[in-house]
Amino acid sequence: MKNIFFVFMVVLLSGSTAFSQIHRMERRDTSMTSRTYNLNPVVVTGSGHHQRLKSTATPVRVLSSQEISEQGISTLDGALTRMMPQVSMAPNSMGSQLRLNGLGNKYILILINGQKLSGDISNNVDLNRINMARVKRIEVLDGAASSLYGSDAIAGVINIITDQPTQDLVSVTSDTRVSGHGVLTESVTLDVYKNGFGSYTSFSHDQADSYRNNDLEYVKGSDTETQPSIAPLFTGYRSNILGQKFTYAPDQHLALNAGVDYSYKITDRPNTATVPEGSPTGTTAPTGGTDYEMRYKGFRWNVGGIYKFTAKNSLQADFVTDRFRYGKEYDVETKTNHVGDYVQSKKQRMMEGRLKAILGLTSNSTTIVGGDWRRDNLMATSGNIDQHVYSLAAYAQHEMKFLKDFTATLGLRLTHHETFDQHLTPKATLMYAPGNFRFRATYSAGFRAPGLDELYYHYFSVNRGKAQISFGNQDLKPEKSHYVALNAEYRNEVIAVSATGYINRINDMVVKQNVEVDDDSRRMLMAEFPEMTQDQADKMVSYALYQNSDKGDVKGVQVNASANVFQGFNLSANYVYTYARTKSGEEWTVLERSIRHAATIAANYHHSWGRYGLTVNVNGRLQSKTYYTGSYENAPGFGVWNLNTTHALDVVKWAYLEPSVGVDNVFDKVDRRIDSSTRKYALYSPGRMLVVGLKVKFK
């Protein structure tokens, strides 16, 4: 960890040393080869209305499409983990296990243009449904945000803002990126805008091969005896997304939109292995293969509009329907299934309608009032579950400037949940803003209703010959949180430095707890799941039951710095300290997969020579060990550095090329520990890889 602190302090000192020589940077070249970093962009997530980043009373982190592209990133999980140290990811066949400030995916609200992305796999939202070709920026709001956004926003909000050009044009863009282990991302977009009408079509393909970094695993119960295994450390997949959006703005007051997205993903895991004919006696087949792939499909459509009475008064309405399902598609002949058979595991549907008014009642205030309606449906094959629940909410928020440099925000949301009745979630912020300094204090309450799977799950599956059983619990209580944060910031056109300390306390956390199996419970389980064999029942040690633990407690510090050190050179560094734990009874335990120290660092240089522009980006992520609970050992810390170069060519007025070449994991950092039943991982990289890309735009 000394290395993390050392590098971070070097970056900060470099920015301070250069501060005396940096000057305001303005774009003088309007060609696509020019670059500049905007340290004060427009954001919407923190306050619910558009305002400059330095003016928002709630701190928000912003990842721009330019920064994402210059780091050679083509996926959402790559953007979040490379650029935000408070985010971690663990990829597997059941979806990327996303964590923000120590809290898991179910506490993180994922939005696309402010609309909830639904459909999850074991409480993990399928991030492959997000088309990065359309991302304009990613806004990340830390901490409880239930007063504006309702349930699930206890850890924070990740809002993906998409880009729809609004100048008369017809443009086609293709962006391709290839690297090792079968990694390929390809996106194509067609944009048409004329006389207020816009049509935006996109297609993206993403694929990667499965891999593991060690071909051996320890035999269960042994620390010395090993056997070959093909169980992937990283699960390969193929994913496609097709999207279409229409907009129409007949005048400066009215803007309408409608869109549809279809997503498809299937895993690509090694098949169950068999012993080849003619093998020596005693030869055993490698373990870890599977008889089926996991297949996921999503279909989402939305309509909406905004009417602006004046520049500060508007009315917004939108409606979205999101369907998601997944199951098993067999690619190995079994006793009960043929190759190509599909067995659905889970089907979800979410419908949500929203109405919001943004009002400038006085010259120094902004008032937001609104209401939401939402209905969730869950169908699960295992246990014959078919359940639904609805919620209604009304909220109000008033932001007001007073005295000379003070801004206060007060918000309140009343949620009526079909199962858990009414809940109030208030929010209060205070910002003192003398000159380029900002001092902020925030309190917000969070609320999360247990999901339908946590209430009603009745799940049985077999993995590697072992039965896995999970039960829901209809006696669960909703989770509630209290988030307090203090923030200090200095920001101008050339440098931005901020520090935040926070406490997030959660009551009645819903966790999966293991219940030991005895003879009586074994008979109960066999009666509940007749498909379970006697041998599988005899081998069962425990089953999972959703329960409320006493509380969760997350404390942390974040430090962020970014500077335009000199013309064309930008330096940024981010560090977080997170102490996350949970209490059940009288015992405190570390929160699963939490990380104490993490940092991300990036240096970016750009220069243009006429119609050619060169960008060189070096970025790294450093983190300490990852904590695991129970019998699992902790995963060691690591530092991974990446290099990416892009070469922008304004060939002619109507064509633009941007080839790129880079190296991921420059120093070939790999976790090659032998797999075991008590071992988990934090670093999933297969090692050093060459990355090549080409972006082509016709305009």
Side-chain angles (χ1 to χ4, degrees):
M1 281 314 302
K2 291 182 179 179
N3 291 335
I4 293 180
F5 288 111
F6 175 74
V7 174
F8 186 73
M9 292 306 299
V10 168
V11 171
L12 289 181
L13 291 174
S14 299
S16 300
T17 303
F19 180 71
S20 61
Q21 55 183 310
I22 55 183
H23 56 280
R24 180 170 181 169
M25 298 169 58
E26 297 178 351
R27 178 175 296 201
R28 295 183 174 88
D29 182 0
T30 58
S31 71
M32 298 185 73
T33 60
S34 64
R35 292 287 192 276
T36 186
Y37 275 92
N38 184 359
L39 300 184
N40 188 31
V42 174
V43 295
V44 66
T45 306
S47 61
H49 64 96
H50 291 86
Q51 58 184 175
R52 289 289 178 183
L53 185 60
K54 69 184 296 182
S55 301
T56 179
T58 305
V60 178
R61 281 291 316 281
V62 181
L63 312 179
S64 70
S65 60
Q66 176 185 320
E67 294 173 276
I68 294 170
S69 175
E70 289 175 343
Q71 291 199 19
I73 298 169
S74 57
T75 61
L76 178 65
D77 54 354
L80 294 173
T81 54
R82 282 197 191 183
M83 304 174 73
M84 297 195 63
Q86 64 265 49
V87 176
S88 64
M89 204 85 65
N92 62 30
S93 61
M94 299 306 290
S96 296
Q97 297 179 355
L98 174 66
R99 285 193 171 263
L100 175 63
N101 293 319
L103 294 173
N105 200 316
K106 67 180 181 179
Y107 299 104
I108 307 166
L109 184 61
I110 310 292
L111 304 175
I112 300 178
N113 296 320
Q115 299 171 336
K116 177 180 172 63
L117 179 66
S118 187
D120 66 88
I121 312 160
S122 298
N123 287 319
N124 300 299
V125 173
D126 186 2
L127 301 179
N128 285 100
R129 300 181 66 198
I130 297 172
N131 186 355
M132 289 297 290
R134 282 296 180 200
V135 172
K136 181 178 181 180
R137 66 181 184 273
I138 301 171
E139 300 180 3
V140 180
L141 173 64
D142 290 307
S146 295
S147 63
L148 274 180
Y149 297 105
S151 181
D152 303 341
I154 284 181
V157 177
I158 299 175
N159 193 6
I160 293 96
I161 309 298
T162 61
D163 186 24
Q164 288 87 37
T166 56
Q167 296 178 340
D168 287 353
L169 58 77
V170 176
S171 70
V172 179
T173 303
S174 170
D175 196 351
T176 307
R177 191 170 297 272
V178 181
S179 63
H181 292 276
V183 175
L184 167 66
T185 59
E186 166 66 32
S187 64
V188 180
T189 62
L190 169 62
D191 298 335
V192 179
Y193 187 86
K194 186 70 174 177
N195 297 330
F197 174 80
S199 171
Y200 311 99
T201 309
S202 62
F203 171 78
S204 70
H205 175 77
D206 186 12
Q207 69 179 53
D209 293 341
S210 293
Y211 60 78
R212 57 181 293 121
N213 293 330
N214 193 307
D215 293 333
L216 298 176
E217 68 176 6
Y218 284 114
V219 175
K220 186 176 181 180
S222 173
D223 294 329
T224 57
E225 185 181 358
T226 61
Q227 61 186 6
S229 175
I230 56 175
L233 173 68
F234 174 88
T235 301
Y237 63 90
R238 301 186 305 276
S239 173
N240 295 318
I241 306 174
L242 179 63
Q244 174 65 56
K245 184 171 185 177
F246 296 105
T247 62
Y248 181 57
D251 54 44
Q252 62 181 348
H253 297 289
L254 180 64
L256 304 174
N257 67 84
V260 61
D261 292 278
Y262 171 79
S263 62
Y264 172 90
K265 175 185 172 184
I266 189 167
T267 59
D268 187 16
R269 300 181 293 187
N271 292 342
T272 302
T274 58
V275 178
E277 293 185 8
S279 298
T281 303
T283 301
T284 58
T287 64
T290 57
D291 298 335
Y292 56 86
E293 304 297 345
M294 298 300 299
R295 193 183 80 186
Y296 317 95
K297 288 186 178 181
F299 183 77
R300 175 185 176 93
W301 63 268
N302 66 279
V303 294
I306 176 173
Y307 186 82
K308 292 185 177 181
F309 301 94
T310 65
K312 292 192 64 178
N313 295 272
S314 63
L315 182 65
Q316 302 177 19
D318 56 69
F319 180 84
V320 59
T321 293
D322 199 349
R323 299 171 182 266
F324 184 76
R325 63 178 180 176
Y326 68 87
K328 304 170 183 177
E329 184 173 294
Y330 282 81
D331 48 15
V332 173
E333 196 79 14
T334 69
K335 294 180 179 179
T336 56
N337 295 97
H338 301 292
V339 174
D341 284 354
Y342 173 74
V343 179
Q344 183 170 286
S345 299
K346 190 174 180 181
K347 182 178 180 181
Q348 299 164 283
R349 183 181 66 185
M350 184 272 292
M351 294 184 292
E352 184 178 47
R354 304 184 309 161
L355 183 65
K356 179 170 73 172
I358 301 176
L359 307 172
L361 301 178
T362 69
S363 60
N364 294 322
S365 70
T366 301
T367 303
I368 298 176
V369 294
D372 297 343
W373 169 84
R374 179 175 157 191
R375 178 185 172 99
D376 290 285
N377 291 71
L378 169 66
M379 294 180 62
T381 304
S382 182
N384 296 318
I385 302 171
D386 187 358
Q387 298 289 339
H388 60 82
V389 66
Y390 76 87
S391 63
L392 291 169
Y395 61 91
Q397 177 178 283
H398 184 67
E399 180 181 288
M400 181 178 63
K401 294 182 180 180
F402 62 98
L403 299 178
K404 181 182 179 181
D405 298 313
F406 285 90
T407 301
T409 305
L410 297 175
L412 184 66
R413 185 185 191 94
L414 174 63
T415 301
H416 170 76
H417 192 277
E418 183 179 5
T419 306
F420 299 105
D421 299 324
Q422 283 72 238
H423 291 274
L424 282 170
T425 48
K427 171 187 176 180
T429 68
L430 179 65
M431 180 175 70
Y432 174 53
N436 290 322
F437 288 93
R438 300 291 182 271
F439 301 95
R440 301 177 174 97
T442 300
Y443 166 77
S444 55
F447 161 74
R448 178 184 174 272
L452 289 172
D453 51 352
E454 294 169 327
L455 291 170
Y456 301 108
Y457 232 26
H458 191 263
Y459 180 77
F460 171 82
S461 69
V462 179
N463 185 21
R464 302 188 189 183
K466 295 185 294 185
Q468 296 180 326
I469 292 176
S470 297
F471 284 108
N473 184 353
Q474 297 181 43
D475 294 326
L476 290 174
K477 303 174 185 176
E479 298 171 274
K480 301 177 183 178
S481 71
H482 300 278
Y483 175 81
V484 178
L486 298 175
N487 168 267
E489 175 187 285
Y490 177 87
R491 183 184 298 272
N492 60 23
E493 292 86 352
V494 293
I495 190 169
V497 180
S498 69
T500 304
Y502 69 89
I503 298 175
N504 198 1
R505 289 185 170 161
I506 308 166
N507 295 321
D508 296 318
M509 289 186 76
V510 177
V511 297
K512 259 188 180 181
Q513 293 188 343
N514 291 326
V515 179
E516 292 187 2
V517 174
D518 55 22
D519 290 339
D520 290 338
S521 58
R522 192 170 283 110
R523 286 190 290 270
M524 178 272 293
L525 294 173
M526 291 194 70
E528 289 284 338
F529 303 99
E531 62 268 40
M532 183 167 60
T533 66
Q534 184 65 54
D535 180 63
Q536 292 167 348
D538 291 340
K539 292 179 180 179
M540 284 204 67
V541 177
S542 64
Y543 64 90
L545 175 66
Y546 284 103
Q547 293 181 340
N548 290 107
S549 68
D550 285 352
K551 62 179 63 178
D553 186 87
V554 183
K555 303 182 181 74
V557 175
Q558 298 181 13
V559 181
N560 310 106
S562 182
N564 293 317
V565 181
F566 55 80
Q567 183 72 37
F569 183 63
N570 176 269
L571 199 60
S572 63
N574 310 283
Y575 165 78
V576 298
Y577 167 79
T578 307
Y579 182 53
R581 56 181 186 162
T582 181
K583 181 182 181 183
S584 183
E586 297 299 320
E587 183 179 359
W588 284 97
T589 58
V590 66
L591 204 58
E592 176 82 359
R593 288 189 50 236
S594 60
I595 302 165
R596 292 282 169 84
H597 304 275
T600 58
I601 301 169
N604 194 84
Y605 174 73
H606 175 82
H607 189 77
S608 297
W609 295 269
R611 290 187 173 275
Y612 169 73
L614 170 67
T615 302
V616 180
N617 186 283
V618 177
N619 62 83
R621 180 182 176 94
L622 304 92
Q623 68 178 52
S624 60
K625 66 182 177 182
T626 301
Y627 290 91
Y628 287 98
T629 57
S631 60
Y632 293 104
E633 64 181 63
N634 299 326
F638 61 85
V640 172
W641 293 89
N642 311 288
L643 169 68
N644 188 64
T645 66
T646 56
H647 310 265
L649 300 165
D650 267 340
V651 182
V652 290
K653 289 184 178 180
W654 49 268
Y656 168 76
L657 299 177
E658 189 177 87
S660 62
V661 180
V663 179
D664 281 355
N665 198 348
V666 174
F667 299 108
D668 200 26
K669 183 69 175 178
V670 181
D671 188 346
R672 300 191 186 279
R673 293 176 299 158
I674 298 176
D675 199 1
S676 74
S677 59
T678 60
R679 179 161 290 165
K680 291 192 175 183
Y681 298 83
L683 176 61
Y684 293 86
S685 171
R688 185 187 301 116
M689 291 193 300
L690 177 68
V691 184
V692 179
L694 176 63
K695 183 176 183 180
V696 182
K697 184 170 184 176
F698 300 98
K699 48 186 175 172

